[in-house]
Amino acid sequence: MTLTCPRLTLLLTSLAAHTALADGVHIEEINVIGRHVETATTASHGQISGEQLGQRPILRTGEILEVVPGLVATQHSGSGKANQYFLRGFNLDHGTDFSTTVDAMPVNMPSHGHGQGYADLNFIIPELVASIAYKKGAYYADLADFSGTGGAQVRSVNYLNDSQLELGVGNYNHRRLLASGSLLSAGGAEFIYGLEAQKYDGPWDDISEDVDKKNLWLKQVWGDEENLLSITAMAYQNSWNSADQIPRRAVQQGIISDLGSIDTTLGGESNRYSLSGHWLKTGSDSVLDVNLYAIGYDMNLWSNFTYFTQPQGDQFEQVDDRTIAGWDARYALNSEFNSLSMTNTFGSQLRHDDIDEVGLFASNLRVRTGVFRQDEVQQTSLGWYWQNRLQWSEKLSTTVGVRYDRYWFDVNALAAADPSTLAVNSGDSSDDIVTGSFNVAYQFNSHLNGFFSVGQGFHSNDARGTSIQRDPVTGETVDPVDPLVPTLGYELGLRNVVSNNIELSAALWYLEVDSELLFVGDAGTTEDTGVGSERTGLELTLYARLGEKHLVDVEYSYTDAQFVQPLDGSRDIPGALQDVFSLGLNTQWTEQFYTHLRVRHFGDYALDGGAQAEPSTLVNLRAGMQFNERWQAKLDILNLLDADDADITYYYASQLQTEAQSVDDIHYHVFEPRAFRLSVGYHF
């Protein structure tokens, strides 16, 4: 359904407000065009609706997280792999230090075969997303593991207005089928279904991505938004070939083009199946919100970043096969304290990962030729938190949170390049952590709100790193990692509703991380940064209605990311984006026709070895047409300006087959060329 301009304005001006469901607090939410009613606890706390999300053109599913101001989702590999994320001066890799959930199910994977906190969003059907609530910073008691820079909470729809069948085609043999809808049953219960199938070959010279993605969502809902019970089943299967990052010298020497590959046999396979239940009960002064889930997940990934430092080649396979079960529950109680309005929220989160196999193997042409390490892991975490929100006056409120988490790790080393390391690298351990947060919100007048926040987040390290004693390949003695690593952050923010049509916000923040050891999934061992780090940043946002037709959102973030002392001669943190800018312009030309233009830019940034990555600018456009109540069409023009900037850049040593030794070089993954994607939908 095409959104009218007033409705879009309503959504934009309520962007930062959280619902009672997202916060676990029963607070009436009022949306007034041009006057933001604030229920958020910081200036970096907001929400976007599924209808708003549906206006945005995206190339890959993981880009839905770019609704978080300042977050960049790129890709250095195939379409089936988790995106590479950047936020607040962190190269988050594939998800470390940014917690993501879908219907309260954790997406980040601890002790994962490819990287700690791996967050693959390809199982999401964007059209069935009801909202994405985001919280940036380390000031939220309800965020658990991987919450150093914040988190995003994705909720699926509980009802649909109608059913639809949508077919899409595009360049490079892009094909997509979407079928979704709902069926009402006796007693007002609603059954929601969604089926997505996608195929894609990609623009690459020497490989076909051969993406074969399938998603199925089934959801049964009883009740309404205040009192409901739902059961959701999700199934995801995908296989793909990868065009990974390439060395700059290979392009300069004419060996390959920007769209070429050194190893043409890379790719992956992944499956995810889940069953979850959600019970929400709202009383006159309380809310009980309980989520239970079970997830089955597996992945095989073939990569090659250094090419031929070994005679047989450097390709390797990473494996992850696990079952996950847990809960996320909270109880919020409204009461009074000395005649002051108060809400206490008590929450608990349990997660158990039964990892049958997590491994790293040498391979050639996707055939295993050796083992680096192979392990069985049991990992359990249990967290409890209390959060108190107290309304001191009409203008002043405070939110205090305390959280306790305990982790148990059990590693059974099954195989290693050096078999003598198996016994010493097996073992069990445990650790716990207490974190706290304090937020102050003050309403200066009917337009201007101010915030001050201080708090801690944390991430867990790979379980294999907690028990490691000797390198599984060389046999050398290595240091185990700290199981749990805290972050400490501060933030000062303002949000101003200038008029019924303009909203501005600003946040000045600081975040520090102690020196830590990291487990390197691509090597099967640990790596020591040796020094601490600190990051300072400024974020500015503008949401405005221009006239009767145009809605604009402008987001800019600046980050200064430094080691506390020089590392390899520099204090600059490699991979930390300094300047990130995004612009969205939505125009409702008529009641039937709209366009949505998006610009994403990040400036040059530091790499290892003193190298610099060049700036990158991407422009996408969506044009939508509602012909009548039944038929609609959308045209996406991705990379509208056909830019050949790098989606992501690294600096490290690699060796081509013609070279006698490895060479330090820039490695990059270029934007996919301009592509047109047309989809036609029928509603019934």
Side-chain angles (χ1 to χ4, degrees):
M1 180 180 70
T2 303
L3 299 178
T4 62
C5 229
R7 189 170 185 183
L8 277 170
T9 304
L10 174 64
L11 294 170
L12 281 172
T13 55
S14 64
L15 179 65
H18 255 327
T19 62
L21 178 61
D23 281 337
V25 180
H26 182 43
I27 300 173
E28 182 182 6
E29 183 184 43
I30 305 173
N31 292 316
V32 180
I33 295 177
R35 188 175 295 274
H36 184 81
V37 177
E38 184 60 66
T39 60
T41 56
T42 75
S44 301
H45 182 183
Q47 178 170 296
I48 186 170
S49 74
E51 291 172 299
Q52 245 182 302
L53 180 65
Q55 299 281 323
R56 301 167 71 102
I58 59 174
L59 174 64
R60 308 178 187 95
T61 306
E63 293 172 11
I64 65 173
L65 286 187
E66 289 192 346
V67 302
V68 180
L71 189 146
V72 172
T74 66
Q75 184 58 281
H76 70 91
S77 188
S79 300
K81 191 176 179 181
N83 286 72
Q84 193 94 6
Y85 305 103
F86 297 82
L87 180 66
R88 289 197 165 183
F90 280 83
N91 178 348
L92 298 168
D93 194 32
H94 299 287
T96 307
D97 287 308
F98 190 76
S99 169
T100 306
T101 63
V102 174
D103 285 348
M105 293 183 289
V107 178
N108 305 75
M109 297 287 182
S111 307
H112 186 268
H114 182 66
Q116 180 69 348
Y118 187 83
D120 182 2
L121 299 176
N122 281 296
F123 71 93
I124 292 178
I125 302 176
E127 289 83 354
L128 295 185
V129 171
S131 65
I132 300 178
Y134 59 85
K135 300 176 179 180
K136 291 186 293 181
Y139 335 111
Y140 314 98
D142 60 327
L143 295 186
D145 201 358
F146 309 113
S147 61
T149 63
Q153 299 161 318
V154 181
R155 280 288 184 184
S156 65
V157 296
N158 286 325
Y159 61 89
L160 289 173
N161 292 328
D162 54 19
S163 300
Q164 71 165 321
L165 178 66
E166 183 176 287
L167 296 174
V169 296
N171 293 107
Y172 314 118
N173 209 20
H174 169 80
R175 292 155 289 164
R176 183 175 186 256
L177 166 68
L178 171 67
S180 65
S182 64
L183 302 172
L184 290 175
S185 57
E190 185 158 0
F191 177 73
I192 299 169
Y193 63 89
L195 171 66
E196 177 193 34
Q198 180 182 328
K199 291 184 178 293
Y200 182 55
D201 290 342
W204 316 106
D205 289 344
D206 42 22
I207 71 162
S208 168
E209 283 201 50
D210 196 22
V211 173
D212 185 13
K213 181 170 77 169
K214 305 179 186 70
N215 270 318
L216 176 66
W217 284 19
L218 303 174
K219 186 174 187 177
Q220 180 71 50
V221 182
W222 297 270
D224 55 33
E225 291 296 322
E226 291 191 344
N227 294 278
L228 67 81
L229 175 66
S230 67
I231 298 175
T232 305
M234 298 179 180
Y236 161 73
Q237 296 179 346
N238 200 356
S239 62
W240 66 95
N241 300 320
S242 295
D244 278 2
Q245 68 258 26
I246 54 176
R248 182 171 59 184
R249 65 187 185 281
V251 177
Q252 293 173 338
Q253 295 171 16
I255 299 173
I256 58 173
S257 76
D258 280 335
L259 301 176
S261 301
I262 302 299
D263 187 339
T264 60
T265 64
L266 310 179
E269 302 169 348
S270 188
N271 302 282
R272 182 190 184 277
Y273 306 94
S274 67
L275 182 65
S276 62
H278 180 208
W279 179 37
L280 178 69
K281 181 175 177 58
T282 304
S284 59
D285 58 2
S286 64
V287 173
L288 177 63
D289 188 351
V290 179
N291 299 270
L292 303 173
Y293 59 85
I295 305 169
Y297 170 87
D298 64 83
M299 180 208 72
N300 294 77
L301 185 66
W302 292 271
S303 305
N304 188 346
F305 304 130
T306 54
Y307 318 123
F308 291 99
T309 64
Q310 301 297 318
Q312 72 277 13
D314 299 350
Q315 186 183 108
F316 58 90
E317 178 188 4
Q318 292 165 314
V319 177
D320 195 284
D321 184 1
R322 71 178 68 201
T323 302
I324 311 163
W327 71 58
D328 186 334
R330 68 192 72 189
Y331 176 73
L333 178 64
N334 295 326
S335 59
E336 288 190 352
F337 175 75
N338 288 341
S339 301
L340 302 177
S341 176
M342 179 174 67
T343 301
N344 284 292
T345 302
F346 305 90
S348 173
Q349 290 145 339
L350 172 74
R351 173 174 179 169
H352 176 71
D353 287 71
D354 180 0
I355 308 174
D356 288 337
E357 180 186 17
V358 56
L360 177 64
F361 303 89
S363 63
N364 185 32
L365 303 177
R366 298 198 186 185
V367 177
R368 291 182 187 175
T369 59
V371 59
F372 295 111
R373 73 174 300 171
Q374 180 186 26
D375 299 87
E376 179 185 28
V377 176
Q378 301 288 320
Q379 180 169 328
T380 304
S381 61
L382 176 61
W384 302 89
Y385 66 89
W386 165 72
Q387 184 170 279
N388 172 273
R389 180 166 181 163
L390 189 59
Q391 193 73 40
W392 296 91
S393 67
E394 290 186 3
K395 295 180 178 293
L396 177 66
S397 66
T398 59
T399 303
V400 179
V402 177
R403 182 179 183 93
Y404 172 77
D405 289 90
R406 186 162 188 85
Y407 280 68
W408 295 267
F409 308 92
D410 189 349
V411 178
N412 180 23
L414 302 175
D418 183 349
S420 68
T421 64
L422 295 179
V424 295
N425 286 342
S426 299
D428 58 80
S429 61
S430 64
D431 196 11
D432 59 3
I433 189 170
V434 177
T435 54
S437 59
F438 177 67
N439 299 275
V440 180
Y442 186 79
Q443 185 176 355
F444 293 98
N445 54 47
S446 60
H447 301 288
L448 181 63
N449 292 273
F451 307 90
F452 171 74
S453 303
V454 58
Q456 296 168 295
F458 74 97
H459 76 247
S460 63
N461 272 324
D462 195 297
R464 294 167 291 175
T466 67
S467 63
I468 194 169
Q469 300 294 326
R470 291 168 55 195
D471 188 297
V473 177
T474 67
E476 296 176 353
T477 301
V478 295
D479 295 322
V481 302
D482 293 328
L484 303 175
V485 179
T487 58
L488 173 64
Y490 305 85
E491 182 172 305
L492 186 65
L494 293 172
R495 178 169 287 135
N496 190 19
V497 180
V498 179
S499 70
N500 286 351
N501 298 320
I502 300 177
E503 181 184 316
L504 296 164
S505 69
L508 180 65
W509 58 269
Y510 170 83
L511 186 67
E512 65 179 40
V513 182
D514 292 336
S515 175
E516 65 205 48
L517 289 167
L518 301 175
F519 185 87
V520 183
D522 291 343
T525 186
T526 56
E527 180 180 89
D528 188 1
T529 62
V531 297
S533 63
E534 53 188 13
R535 294 163 171 84
T536 305
L538 173 67
E539 295 173 341
L540 304 172
T541 65
L542 164 68
Y543 306 104
R545 175 179 177 179
L546 307 177
E548 294 296 322
K549 296 182 178 181
H550 308 289
L551 291 166
V552 62
D553 60 89
V554 181
E555 300 162 351
Y556 170 72
S557 65
Y558 168 82
T559 302
D560 179 31
Q562 300 281 316
F563 291 116
V564 296
Q565 62 188 58
L567 185 66
D568 295 331
S570 175
R571 290 187 60 200
D572 293 334
I573 299 177
L577 302 186
Q578 179 174 279
D579 298 283
V580 177
F581 169 83
S582 70
L583 167 69
L585 177 61
N586 194 94
T587 302
Q588 195 77 39
W589 299 98
T590 68
E591 289 188 2
Q592 294 78 33
F593 179 64
Y594 74 90
T595 58
H596 191 109
L597 179 74
R598 295 217 64 84
V599 180
R600 186 202 73 190
H601 170 84
F602 55 83
D604 57 359
Y605 57 96
L607 300 173
D608 287 299
Q612 288 285 120
E614 295 181 353
S616 171
T617 303
L618 181 66
V619 182
N620 294 330
L621 175 68
R622 169 169 289 182
M625 182 70 182
Q626 186 86 32
F627 297 104
N628 52 46
E629 292 183 355
R630 300 291 188 187
W631 291 96
Q632 69 174 20
K634 295 178 293 186
L635 175 65
D636 288 350
I637 308 177
L638 303 170
N639 192 2
L640 177 68
L641 303 181
D642 201 25
D644 59 359
D645 296 344
D647 214 0
I648 193 168
T649 305
Y650 305 94
Y651 186 82
Y652 59 85
S654 65
Q655 185 172 336
L656 302 177
Q657 197 166 20
T658 57
E659 294 173 336
Q661 59 185 15
S662 59
V663 177
D664 291 332
D665 197 6
I666 292 284
H667 296 73
Y668 66 96
H669 192 260
V670 73
F671 284 160
E672 296 191 19
R674 180 170 49 226
F676 296 83
R677 294 184 178 179
L678 174 67
S679 60
V680 177
Y682 176 72
H683 292 252
F684 56 94

